[in-house]
Amino acid sequence: MADVVTGEAVVVEVRIAQLPTRGVALLIDWVVQWAALILMYILLGSASVVTDMALATGLMILVTVLVLVGYPVAFETASRGRSLGKLAMGLRVVGDDGGPERFRQALFRGLAGFLEFWMFFGAPALITSLVNQRGKRLGDVFAGTIVISERGPRQEPPPEMPPGLAPWAASLQLSQLTGELADTARQYLSRWHQLGPDIRHQMGVRIAGQVSAVVAPPPPPGLPPHTYLAAVLAERRRREELRLAQVRAAAPPFGAAYGGAPYAGAPGSPYGGASYGSPYGGSPNGGSPYDGAPYSGSPYDGAPYGGAPHGGTHGGAPQGGAPAPVNPPPPSDPAGPTPGGFVPPN
């Protein structure tokens, strides 16, 4: 994995293509290029019988350049960084800023690739890829590109809540549980069945002890480490989903300022409603925006205009007071004392 800083100063994490995968993609491209060269040479050899030998030689040189250099340049430009080999292996060439590959960059890679692979049999590309931290060959260094893998590893399903532990997990304080420690516990649970009994128990006790040092209350007596970790991670995921759902539900709809529905009104009124959210409301009969109840639906719905005495302005807030927040902050776990550590079952 590597971090890429985009043009908008956003850090994006990408997966650098491994050398064996790039080698297989290069082998596929080689087979395609050799097949194209052999076919074109056969056609030009048949045409040389009725044409000038110098013309046939010039056409062979042109075809060789087009196949060896034009093939990767044309494919990577048209497909945004993919040749046939890269398409088969799930690879893509992108710029150092994470943007799509441009024609200039593809041309630099194609010219450098002719020297690296066809003149020096790939030795410069291999040495440079092993030395460079991002696995760049000379063409990538000159063009300012990197080769990434778009096929991530198979993700294990998230742990589920063990039976009977949901009430206890609902009382957990998870504010001090860091993402790094949660990832360590998640990796342990994903490989739990592949470990031996002794290593499984030792790692489980160690990771569960680290988690219980920052999570309260302590687990029930006799709870196995993997069950405890599964309950903590399942509860953490449930709260993250609930917090995300609350934030989405609290977001106001577009145009819902001043407490009114956007562009709402009866048919026939100007612009289909109350003058695009006019603070004075709309006429139920499609008349002037000032028709209907006095100042009905306006932000001045206080007394004496149909609201509570000295009602608030602009959304019902009391005069002189601060308006109610549109997006309430998501609930957070209260910080509190943490237990001493995880006690493994006897």
Side-chain angles (χ1 to χ4, degrees):
M1 303 295 289
D3 292 336
V4 173
V5 181
T6 65
E8 293 77 15
V10 178
V11 180
V12 180
E13 191 177 30
V14 297
R15 185 178 301 276
I16 301 298
Q18 300 297 321
L19 188 59
T21 308
R22 296 183 64 177
V24 175
L26 177 62
L27 182 61
I28 295 175
D29 290 331
W30 267 3
V31 171
V32 174
Q33 288 174 297
W34 275 112
L37 282 176
I38 293 174
L39 178 61
M40 295 303 296
Y41 286 164
I42 292 175
L43 295 177
L44 290 176
S46 302
S48 63
V49 179
V50 295
T51 59
D52 187 10
M53 182 61 67
L55 178 59
T57 303
L59 290 177
M60 284 187 178
I61 296 175
L62 178 61
V63 166
T64 303
V65 174
L66 290 178
V67 172
L68 299 186
V69 179
Y71 163 80
V73 174
F75 265 90
E76 291 183 4
T77 303
S79 61
R80 297 297 183 93
R82 280 182 163 186
S83 61
L84 292 180
K86 293 181 177 63
L87 181 62
M89 301 305 298
L91 306 181
R92 184 184 293 274
V93 181
V94 297
D96 287 336
D97 59 351
E101 184 186 19
R102 300 179 177 89
F103 171 74
R104 174 183 56 83
Q105 296 172 322
L107 181 60
F108 273 107
R109 295 186 80 256
L111 294 175
F114 177 77
L115 298 176
E116 291 179 276
F117 301 119
W118 297 98
M119 304 249 340
F120 296 99
F121 305 101
L126 178 61
I127 296 174
T128 309
S129 299
L130 293 176
V131 174
N132 193 276
Q133 295 181 351
R134 294 190 172 187
K136 290 187 174 186
R137 62 177 179 89
L138 289 180
D140 294 319
V141 175
F142 296 152
T145 57
I146 55 176
V147 182
I148 64 174
S149 176
E150 296 182 324
R151 296 177 183 175
R154 179 178 176 269
Q155 298 290 336
E156 295 291 334
E160 298 182 358
M161 179 64 67
L165 294 181
W168 166 78
S171 63
L172 292 176
Q173 299 178 5
L174 304 177
S175 59
Q176 300 183 15
L177 181 61
T178 62
E180 182 179 359
L181 185 55
D183 292 338
T184 302
R186 189 177 296 106
Q187 293 178 5
Y188 165 74
L189 292 178
S190 64
R191 302 178 180 178
W192 179 75
H193 298 283
Q194 304 174 2
L195 303 175
D198 296 337
I199 300 179
R200 178 192 308 171
H201 179 73
Q202 294 175 4
M203 291 185 62
V205 171
R206 178 176 60 84
I207 298 175
Q210 296 175 358
V211 173
S212 63
V214 296
V215 173
L223 191 66
H226 64 278
T227 306
Y228 168 70
L229 294 176
V232 172
L233 294 183
E235 178 63 20
R236 184 174 184 267
R237 181 170 178 268
R238 185 190 69 84
R239 294 185 185 182
E240 290 178 352
E241 294 177 351
L242 179 61
R243 184 179 296 110
L244 180 61
Q246 290 177 349
V247 171
R248 291 178 177 177
F254 176 76
Y258 302 106
Y263 311 107
S269 61
Y271 305 101
S275 299
Y276 286 90
S278 172
Y280 299 101
S283 170
N285 299 321
S288 168
Y290 297 94
D291 291 343
Y295 297 92
S296 175
S298 73
Y300 303 96
D301 281 345
Y305 301 105
H310 305 287
T313 62
H314 298 281
Q319 292 183 355
V326 178
N327 295 327
S332 59
D333 296 326
T338 57
F342 178 79
V343 179
N346 297 326

